[in-house]
């Protein structure tokens, strides 16, 4: 990596734009960065780090610390632009931090979000923009440089104070720094993973033992008295011997339960026999009691029949007379109907007579009919007058209609005038609705174009998140498959080795007397080999080999599955990271994507964008859907406009024609009124006079009809009396009143017949039951006692239930003990592999954590890896330290324990003048400086190699040269100058005045009242 140009604007102490030309400074290989305290020397290095990683080193990135210069004007934004070459690519990174800026409208300030831009230079294309995403730019820079921000600040911006502390630090502090630089988190993760596996295996073993103890408690509860005969095992969870004790005790409990089961079966058989005998005795007693009760009840029923015989005879006589009276019933009904008709006709005649004039009250039918005909003649003469009166009323109605039409036309003309006055506004509003609907339709099409890419990206983000989880699960499965394959391979190799040790015994098993040996050819076999303890045969070895091959196949399948998931995850990430088309993105979409770090937006952020776009699209679609209605409303309004114009004209024409109609109606009504005065007479109107005549005609007609009806009803009543007397005589009754008193309705007759039939049926049933032989025989025996038999049966039943309950309890106890014993056996078998796994994992975890007896130096795995890295750093630093110290000092790594917590991270210096090895804390100030400088350079080499061999062409060394004497300073500068052999440029940050004479290429930071400025000096020239 080589820096070319750095441009700072309103950054730190620099109030204006400053430019640093690293190409000019690096041409000499060694350049000096100097200036007064507080001028901003360190800010130049901060700007380099900020340009690459978007953050400044260390504590200077604390919250509340602003990168914006206090000297800069309000309208000048803070910006850092860095141009560099890394891995053959010429890049330019531009970054702006979050900063306040004046509001475009109104007063005050608003916070502008951080911005980033990455460009690349091509010989033919020139500068091309690559990304504006903070996340993408950070990932690309970290990938190309191969180091994180902490590693870059430790390797490229060499802080001498940190390495001086590193020399004097204890193993714990050294481990933290080395762990951050070399990223040994994966080894610490291995330690933690093994510790977690150990805790998990231990918890599984403890849980299994607790389950076994719980089963033992349940076995004790199921065993009952057997639990008191043999106490539960006293082993605690996790201790050996627990499982065997539980299984032995369960076997004893099952044996006792089987003995009690046999005893309960014998008791149940005896109780069943006693219960059967008691049931037979109870059935016999109940049958005797039933027959005796039946015979007694039959005797009581026979006595009751004799008591009810008179009532039966009375019902029979009453039913006979009622059936005779039924023959007279039609004549009785006819007489009653004639009587009712005569009373009704007499009432109607009296009412009509009361309404007649006094002179006609006693008139006959002929006289009433003649008066009716005279009045009808007078009524017919009034028909012409009635037509004239109706016409007069019609004229009044027509005149009122004309007035209503006149008022309606006046209102129509006024309403039309009012509506037409607002026509221009209505027409303009409808045109505006159509235009708004057209704009909404265009907006809906644009939103649909943005919505589909956003939805696809959201779906891809959901798949990405789901695949990340599946990838982690597949990774765990692959790790487990690899461990299983390794264990199977070790098992197979162990069995194969054991079989080869006893192969002679396996060959000897196939020897036979007189048959030549396949190995030595001898037919005598005086001492054939015998298999030793733990002999492994061929079948066992082949089974282990098959298990190893299956495990390898499972591992390969897990690797293939993980590869497929990673390919799908990469595709989902690529699809989810794609930007929405710029010309279709709203400012809200752009801000949401930028806030998410660019392409790798979260599902929640994409859902927010999709939800907003969906809502806007639905709203635009809703507005666009009103276009048809708006156009129809406009057409309807235009039709109404024409209709109102035409209606107003017609109303004006009708108003002119109504005057002549009024005059003609007035003349016609005057002529009709002269004719009606004569026809009305004393009544108020012809209609009233006609109504009076019609009422009189109706009264006369009703009176004549009522008189004729009364005469007809009297004749019919006389005829009914004769018919009734004749019917009663033929039925055998002396008078019609006697026949009427014997009448009974059909319901009462059915009730009488039912009572007669019931008595006869009861008499037949009693006769049948009195003829039963078994009932008479049972009545001759002594009274039965079923209560005593029931009591004996209940007692035997209770004994039977008690015996059955005892047997069921014994069977349930045996069944439960068998089931629990099988569960305990299965649990003990299941715990076998778990105990072995716990022992294996506990041994590995103790070894990596440094607590195992097999780990002699008690070194953790992470400390072991860091010790190897520290040994490389010490070797690389020694090459430069010997030259700086004129061959006196050598840095060596020590794996001795430096306290109770760590071992393997010791760092000593060997003094060739004394030949002794001593701690680095005993070095003087100047010696500490060049030792730490050598350590920093060596660490830079090792970290660079660790990062993948990325070439670092530009380094910065911060302070510390003031502690060196002139000779040592020359040696240190020679070492730094030798870095040019590797085409490196080194920038020294120092106040030492002597360095200004020794280093011609300089970058001076000048502190001024309105902000600092930079000046370049190369070979005696000075530029600002």
């Amino acid at each position: 990596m080589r820096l070319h140009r750095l441009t700072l604007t309103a950054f730190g102490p620099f109030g204006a734009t400053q430019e640093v030309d690293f190409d000019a400074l690096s041409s000499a290989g060694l350049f000096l960065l100097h200036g007064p305290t507080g001028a901003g020397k360190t800010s130049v290095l901060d700007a380099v780090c900020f340009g690459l990683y978007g953050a400044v080193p260390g504590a200077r990135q604390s919250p509340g610390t602003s990168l914006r210069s206090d000297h800069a004007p309000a309208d000048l934004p803070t910006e850092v632009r860095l141009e560099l070459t890394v891995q053959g690519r010429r890049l330019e990174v531009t970054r702006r931090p979050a900063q306040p800026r004046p509001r475009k409208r109104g007063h005050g300030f608003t916070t502008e979000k951080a911005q980033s831009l990455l460009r690349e230079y091509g010989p033919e294309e020139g500068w091309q923009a690559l990304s504006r995403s903070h996340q993408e730019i950070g990932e690309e820079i970290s990938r190309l440089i191969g180091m994180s921000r902490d590693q870059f600040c430790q390797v490229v911006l060499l802080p001498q104070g940190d390495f001086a502390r590193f020399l004097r630090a204890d193993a714990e502090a050294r481990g933290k720094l080395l762990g951050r630089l070399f990223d040994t988190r994966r080894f610490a993760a291995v330690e933690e993973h093994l510790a977690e596996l150990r805790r998990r295996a231990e918890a599984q073993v403890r849980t299994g033992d607790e389950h076994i103890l719980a089963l033992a408690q349940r076995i004790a509860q199921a065993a009952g008295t057997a639990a008191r005969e043999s106490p539960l095992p006293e082993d605690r969870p996790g201790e050996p011997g627990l499982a065997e004790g539980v299984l032995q005790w369960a076997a004893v409990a099952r044996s006792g339960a089987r003995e009690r089961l046999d005893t309960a079966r014998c008791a149940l058989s005896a109780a069943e026999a006693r219960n059967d005998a008691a049931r037979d005795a109870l059935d016999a007693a109940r049958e005797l009691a039933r027959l005796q009760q039946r015979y007694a009840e039959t005797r009581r029923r026979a006595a009751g029949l004799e008591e009810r015989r008179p009532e039966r005879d009375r019902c029979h006589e009453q039913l006979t007379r009622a059936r005779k009276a039924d023959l007279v019933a039609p004549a009785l009904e006819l007489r009653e109907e004639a009587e009712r008709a005569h009373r009704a006709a007499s009432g109607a005649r009296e009412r009509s007579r009361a309404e007649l004039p006094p002179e006609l009250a006693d008139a006959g039918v002929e006289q009433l009919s003649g008066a009716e005909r005279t009045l009808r003649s007078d009524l017919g003469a009034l028909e012409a007058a009635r037509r004239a009166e109706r016409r007069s009323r019609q004229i009044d109605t027509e005149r009122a209609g004309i007035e209503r039409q006149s008022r309606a036309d006046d209102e129509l003309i006024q309403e039309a005038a009012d509506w037409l006055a607002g026509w221009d506004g209505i027409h303009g509003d409808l045109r505006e609705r159509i235009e708004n609907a057209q704009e909404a339709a265009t907006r809906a099409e644009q939103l649909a174009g943005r919505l589909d890419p956003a939805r696809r990206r959201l779906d891809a983000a959901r798949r990405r998140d789901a695949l990340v989880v599946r990838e982690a699960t597949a990774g765990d499965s692959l790790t487990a498959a690899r461990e299983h394959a390794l264990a199977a391979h070790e098992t197979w190799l162990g069995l194969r080795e054991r079989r080869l040790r006893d192969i002679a015994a396996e060959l000897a098993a196939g020897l036979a007397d007189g048959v030549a040996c396949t190995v030595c050819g001898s037919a005598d076999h005086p001492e054939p080999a015998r298999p030793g303890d733990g002999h492994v045969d061929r079948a066992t070895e082949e089974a282990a080999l098959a298990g190893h091959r299956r495990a390898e196949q499972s591992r390969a399948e897990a690797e293939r599955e993980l590869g497929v998931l990673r390919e799908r995850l990469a595709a989902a990430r690529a699809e989810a990271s794609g930007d929405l088309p710029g010309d279709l993105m709203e400012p809200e979409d752009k801000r949401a994507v930028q806030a998410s770090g660019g392409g790798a937006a979260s599902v929640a952020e994409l859902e927010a964008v999709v939800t907003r776009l969906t809502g806007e699209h639905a709203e635009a679609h809703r507005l666009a859907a009103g276009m048809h209605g708006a156009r129809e409303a406009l057409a309807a309004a235009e039709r109404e406009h024409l209709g109102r114009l035409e209606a107003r004209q017609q109303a004006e024409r009708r108003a002119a024609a109504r005057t002549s109609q009024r005059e003609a109606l007035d003349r016609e009504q005057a002529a009709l009124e002269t004719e009606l005065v004569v026809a009305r007479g004393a009544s108020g109107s012809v209609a009233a006079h006609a109504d009076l005549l019609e009422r009189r005609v109706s009264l006369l007609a009703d009176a004549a009809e009522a008189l004729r009806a009364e005469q007809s009803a009297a004749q019919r009543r006389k005829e009914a009396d004769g018919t009734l007397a004749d019917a009663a005589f033929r039925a055998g009754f002396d008078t019609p009143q006697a026949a009427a008193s014997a009448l009974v309705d059909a319901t009462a007759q059915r009730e009488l017949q039912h009572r007669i039939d019931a008595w006869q049926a009861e008499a037949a049933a009693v006769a049948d039951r009195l003829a039963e032989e078994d009932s008479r025989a049972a009545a001759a025996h002594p009274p039965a006692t079923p209560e005593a038999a029931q009591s004996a049966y209940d007692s035997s039943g209770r004994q039977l239930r008690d015996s059955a309950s005892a047997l069921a309890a014994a069977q349930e106890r045996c069944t439960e003990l068998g089931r629990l014993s099988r569960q305990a056996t299965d649990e003990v078998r299941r715990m076998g592999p778990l105990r072995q796994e716990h022992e294996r994992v506990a041994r590995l975890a103790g070894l990596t954590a440094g607590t195992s007896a097999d780990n002699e130096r008690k070194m953790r795995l992470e400390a072991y890896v860091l010790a190897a890295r520290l040994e490389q750093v010490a070797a690389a630093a020694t090459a430069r330290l010997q030259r700086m110290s004129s061959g006196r000092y050598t840095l060596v790594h020590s794996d001795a324990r430096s306290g109770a917590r760590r071992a393997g991270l010791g760092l000593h210096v060997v003094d060739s003048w004394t030949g002794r090895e001593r701690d680095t804390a005993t070095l003087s100030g100047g010696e500490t400086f060049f030792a730490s400088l050598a350590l920093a350079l060596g660490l830079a080499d090792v970290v660079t190699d660790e990062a993948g061999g990325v070439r670092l062409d530009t380094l910065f060394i911060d302070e510390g040269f003031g502690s060196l004497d002139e000779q040592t300073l020359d040696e240190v500068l020679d070492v730094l100058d030798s870095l040019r052999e590797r085409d490196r440029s080194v920038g020294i940050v120092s106040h030492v005045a002597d360095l200004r004479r020794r280093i011609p290429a300089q970058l001076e930071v000048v502190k001024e009242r309105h902000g600092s400025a930079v000046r370049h000096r190369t070979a005696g020239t000075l530029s600002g």
Side-chain angles (χ1 to χ4, degrees):
M1 181 196 71
R2 178 177 294 278
L3 305 180
H4 298 293
R5 190 176 306 277
L6 174 66
T7 304
L8 305 92
T9 302
F11 184 85
F14 304 101
T17 300
Q18 304 292 325
E19 187 173 298
V20 179
D21 189 355
F22 285 112
D23 286 337
L25 294 173
S26 301
S27 60
L30 194 65
F31 63 91
L32 177 65
L33 175 60
H34 67 94
T37 301
K41 300 185 297 298
T42 305
S43 295
V44 175
L45 305 184
D46 291 347
V48 173
C49 184
F50 180 74
L52 291 175
Y53 294 97
V56 297
R60 296 192 290 278
Q61 186 64 23
S62 60
T65 303
S66 175
L67 301 179
R68 180 167 176 78
S69 175
D70 296 333
H71 303 284
D75 57 348
L76 182 63
T78 300
E79 181 180 276
V80 173
R81 180 180 293 113
L82 179 63
E83 186 179 338
L84 71 157
T85 297
V86 57
Q87 292 194 8
R89 298 174 62 183
R90 185 72 172 257
L91 302 176
E92 180 190 76
V93 187
T94 303
R95 293 188 185 271
R96 288 187 178 184
Q99 54 189 304
R101 65 166 175 79
R103 295 182 180 274
K104 296 180 180 179
R105 297 181 180 178
H107 303 284
F109 290 83
T110 183
T111 302
E112 189 176 58
K113 293 184 178 180
Q115 302 178 23
S116 299
L117 173 63
L118 177 63
R119 300 197 303 169
E120 182 174 6
Y121 180 80
E124 298 179 357
E125 301 85 1
W127 288 105
Q128 298 288 328
L130 297 182
S131 176
R132 291 183 178 273
S133 168
H134 301 299
Q135 182 178 356
E136 290 181 356
I137 294 174
E139 292 176 354
E140 183 68 10
I141 293 297
S142 299
R143 184 184 65 80
L144 292 174
I145 298 178
M147 288 181 285
S148 65
R149 178 171 64 92
D150 291 339
Q151 290 176 318
F152 179 84
C153 295
Q154 199 74 35
V155 174
V156 178
L157 310 178
L158 302 178
Q160 294 308 300
D162 287 355
F163 284 98
R165 287 191 296 272
F166 182 79
L167 282 174
R168 296 185 175 91
D170 57 6
E172 190 72 22
R174 260 190 215 116
K176 291 181 179 179
L177 176 62
L178 293 175
R180 188 170 66 251
L181 291 177
F182 292 105
D183 192 14
T184 56
R185 290 175 296 178
R186 59 188 184 278
F187 300 103
V190 170
E191 297 178 19
E192 181 61 28
H193 179 65
L194 289 174
E196 177 63 25
L197 289 179
R198 177 179 59 188
R199 289 191 295 270
R200 195 180 305 165
E202 183 178 355
Q204 290 178 345
V205 171
R206 180 172 294 277
T207 300
D209 288 347
E210 290 175 352
H211 190 195
I212 292 175
L213 283 177
L215 287 174
Q217 293 286 348
R218 293 171 63 186
I219 290 173
Q221 294 174 0
T225 55
R228 295 189 290 272
E229 294 171 0
S230 299
L232 289 172
E234 298 179 355
D235 299 309
R236 292 186 298 274
E239 294 187 1
L242 171 67
E244 291 75 7
V246 170
L247 294 180
Q248 292 176 2
W249 182 81
V252 174
R254 289 197 306 274
S255 177
R258 285 193 294 269
E259 292 178 357
R260 289 192 297 275
L261 177 61
D262 295 339
T263 303
R265 283 174 178 165
C266 295
L268 178 62
S269 298
E272 288 175 347
R274 291 192 298 271
N275 184 257
D276 291 342
R279 186 191 303 110
D280 295 340
L282 176 62
D283 292 342
R286 286 176 175 174
E287 181 63 18
L288 180 61
R290 184 186 69 81
L291 292 174
Q292 290 176 348
Q293 182 179 2
R294 181 180 178 85
Y295 186 79
E297 181 184 359
T298 303
R299 300 295 300 174
R300 287 194 300 272
R301 289 171 64 184
L305 281 173
E306 291 301 323
E307 292 177 356
R308 296 198 303 274
R309 184 181 291 277
E311 180 183 1
R312 179 261 177 191
D313 294 340
R314 181 183 58 79
C315 291
H316 186 269
E317 183 180 357
Q318 183 179 0
L319 180 60
T320 301
R321 287 178 58 80
R323 286 174 177 172
K324 290 180 179 181
D326 288 342
L327 300 176
V328 187
L332 286 171
E333 292 177 359
L334 182 62
R335 172 63 176 79
E336 290 177 358
E337 183 180 354
E339 181 64 27
R340 286 193 300 272
H342 182 262
R343 286 196 300 270
S346 297
R349 166 64 179 147
E350 292 299 326
R351 287 192 297 273
S352 65
R353 179 182 296 177
E355 294 179 358
L356 290 174
E359 64 273 12
L360 297 176
D362 296 326
V365 176
E366 294 298 331
Q367 188 177 0
L368 292 174
S369 298
E372 178 186 358
R373 286 192 295 273
T374 301
L375 290 177
R376 288 187 182 276
S377 176
D378 295 339
L379 184 61
L382 292 177
E383 185 62 30
R386 298 174 90 176
R387 288 195 298 271
E389 189 177 45
R390 286 197 297 271
R391 176 56 186 163
S392 179
R393 288 196 297 271
Q394 289 177 357
I395 291 173
D396 293 337
T397 304
E398 290 177 4
R399 185 183 291 111
I402 290 173
E403 295 301 326
R404 286 196 301 273
Q405 291 175 3
S406 178
R407 290 193 297 271
D409 286 343
D410 292 342
E411 293 176 358
L412 187 148
I413 292 172
Q414 183 62 38
E415 182 182 357
D418 295 340
W419 190 89
L420 291 173
W423 163 246
D424 293 336
I426 296 174
H427 187 265
D429 292 342
L430 292 174
R431 295 299 303 175
E432 185 179 358
R433 281 181 58 190
I434 294 174
E435 292 174 358
N436 291 338
Q438 291 174 345
E439 293 177 359
T442 304
R443 175 69 175 167
E445 293 179 0
Q446 295 175 351
L447 289 172
R450 290 199 302 272
L451 187 57
D452 289 341
R455 284 174 174 168
R456 290 195 297 271
R457 186 173 174 189
L458 174 60
D459 294 339
R462 288 172 175 164
R463 293 197 306 274
R464 174 198 65 197
D465 293 349
L467 288 172
V468 166
V469 177
R470 292 181 59 189
E471 181 194 23
T473 304
D476 296 340
S477 300
L478 177 58
T479 302
R482 286 174 174 169
E483 293 178 355
H484 179 62
L486 180 60
H489 185 255
E490 293 177 353
T491 301
W492 171 59
L493 292 179
L495 292 175
R496 181 179 178 82
E497 184 179 357
R498 288 164 56 189
R499 183 190 174 206
L500 291 176
R501 285 200 303 266
D502 292 342
I503 194 65
E506 185 176 337
L507 293 174
L511 295 178
D513 293 337
V515 179
C517 176
T518 57
V519 178
C520 64
S522 174
D524 297 329
H525 316 296
E527 295 181 359
R530 295 287 185 267
D533 295 338
H535 173 65
V536 177
D537 56 7
R538 182 174 182 178
T540 303
E541 180 192 356
E542 290 178 350
L545 177 59
H548 164 58
R549 289 173 177 172
R550 287 193 300 271
E552 283 293 326
Q553 185 177 1
S554 299
R555 180 193 57 78
E557 182 64 27
E559 288 180 348
R560 285 193 299 271
E561 181 179 357
L562 181 59
V564 170
L565 285 176
R566 285 176 174 171
E567 290 177 359
R568 293 173 60 188
L569 178 58
R573 281 175 173 165
E575 185 176 355
S577 299
D579 288 334
L580 295 174
D583 58 342
L584 296 180
M585 289 179 67
E586 291 290 339
E588 294 83 354
D589 302 339
K590 296 178 181 178
R591 287 195 293 271
V593 174
Q594 290 173 357
S596 66
S602 67
V603 172
E605 293 165 344
L606 291 175
E607 283 179 345
V609 173
V610 170
T611 301
R612 186 182 59 78
L613 288 176
T614 302
E616 293 179 359
H617 178 265
E619 179 64 19
H621 190 271
R622 184 187 65 78
L623 293 176
M627 183 183 298
H628 179 70
R631 287 177 175 172
E632 288 186 348
L634 178 60
E638 290 176 347
R639 289 193 301 271
E640 184 176 1
H641 175 257
L642 296 176
R644 286 183 182 269
L645 288 175
E646 184 178 357
R648 184 175 63 178
Q649 294 173 358
Q650 292 178 356
E652 292 173 350
R653 288 194 294 268
R654 287 194 300 270
R658 274 192 292 271
T659 303
S660 59
Q661 292 179 0
R662 289 193 187 97
E663 295 175 353
L665 290 175
D666 290 342
R667 289 192 300 270
E668 184 181 0
Q669 191 171 31
L672 292 174
E673 186 64 26
T674 301
E675 179 182 354
L676 290 175
V677 169
V678 177
R680 289 192 193 104
S683 300
S685 64
V686 176
H689 187 59
D691 289 341
L692 177 61
L693 294 178
E694 286 177 352
R695 285 195 299 273
R696 290 176 179 176
V697 169
S698 178
L699 286 175
L700 293 172
D702 291 342
E705 182 62 29
L707 182 57
R708 283 193 291 268
E710 182 186 17
Q711 295 172 355
S712 177
Q715 181 63 30
R716 286 197 301 273
R717 184 180 62 175
K718 182 178 180 180
E719 294 174 355
D721 287 339
T723 302
L724 175 60
D726 183 58
F729 177 76
R730 286 197 301 269
F733 292 99
D734 296 336
T735 63
Q737 291 74 18
S741 63
L743 281 175
V744 176
D745 59 10
T747 303
Q749 291 183 20
R750 285 195 298 272
E751 178 64 23
L752 292 172
Q753 184 65 47
H754 176 71
R755 292 166 66 180
I756 294 171
D757 294 342
W759 189 91
Q760 292 176 350
E762 178 69 9
V766 168
D768 291 341
R769 291 181 63 171
L770 287 175
E772 293 177 354
E773 294 294 337
D774 53 354
S775 298
R776 289 201 303 272
H781 288 82
T785 57
E787 293 80 7
Q790 181 67 44
S791 176
Y793 177 70
D794 292 342
S795 177
S796 64
R798 286 192 296 271
Q799 294 177 2
L800 178 62
R801 287 193 297 274
D802 292 341
S803 300
S805 298
L807 177 61
Q811 291 175 341
E812 183 178 359
R813 181 180 297 110
C814 289
T815 303
E816 184 67 11
L817 287 174
R819 185 180 65 83
L820 293 175
S821 298
R822 289 191 297 273
Q823 290 185 3
T825 303
D826 296 340
E827 187 65 22
V828 169
R829 291 175 181 171
R830 187 184 67 84
M831 288 299 298
L834 291 179
R835 294 183 193 278
Q836 296 176 0
E837 179 68 14
H838 173 250
E839 294 174 358
R840 184 178 69 85
V841 172
R843 182 173 59 83
L844 288 176
L847 188 64
T848 57
T851 59
S852 174
D854 297 334
N855 192 334
E856 297 179 357
R857 295 188 178 275
K858 305 300 180 184
M859 291 177 63
R860 291 171 47 201
L861 177 62
E862 183 182 12
Y864 178 78
V865 176
L866 291 177
R869 293 290 187 263
L870 184 59
E871 188 173 4
Q872 296 175 357
V873 171
T878 297
R880 294 184 176 90
L881 179 60
Q882 287 181 342
R883 184 172 177 182
M884 293 180 186
S885 62
S886 301
R888 178 178 179 182
Y889 293 117
T890 301
L891 281 175
V892 295
H893 159 256
S894 173
D895 57 2
R897 298 185 68 181
S898 58
R901 297 180 64 186
R902 277 186 186 269
L905 296 180
L907 191 63
H908 292 175
V909 62
V910 178
D911 190 347
S912 62
W913 289 4
T914 62
R916 300 185 63 181
E917 180 178 329
R918 55 192 172 96
D919 194 90
T920 54
T922 60
L923 294 174
S924 65
E927 292 171 342
T928 299
F929 168 72
F930 62 70
S932 63
L933 177 59
L935 183 64
L937 294 174
L939 184 61
D941 292 340
V942 175
V943 173
T944 301
D945 295 338
E946 175 71 14
V950 177
R951 182 177 179 83
L952 300 177
D953 298 318
T954 305
L955 300 175
F956 295 91
I957 302 175
D958 190 2
E959 288 299 345
F961 292 88
S963 61
L964 303 179
D965 56 45
E966 185 175 355
Q967 180 180 357
T968 305
L969 181 60
D970 289 337
E971 293 173 348
V972 169
L973 291 179
D974 289 343
V975 171
L976 295 178
D977 192 55
S978 67
L979 296 176
R980 289 187 298 174
E981 299 174 0
R982 303 173 67 178
D983 196 19
R984 283 183 176 179
S985 61
V986 180
I988 298 176
V989 183
S990 178
H991 295 89
V992 179
D994 193 27
L995 290 176
R996 302 178 192 174
R997 295 183 297 100
R998 297 171 180 266
I999 303 176
Q1002 299 177 15
L1003 178 66
E1004 182 180 4
V1005 182
V1006 181
K1007 182 165 60 175
E1008 298 176 349
R1009 186 177 186 85
H1010 301 292
S1012 300
V1014 298
R1015 298 176 182 175
H1016 296 75
R1017 185 191 301 274
T1018 56
T1021 63
L1022 180 65
S1023 61

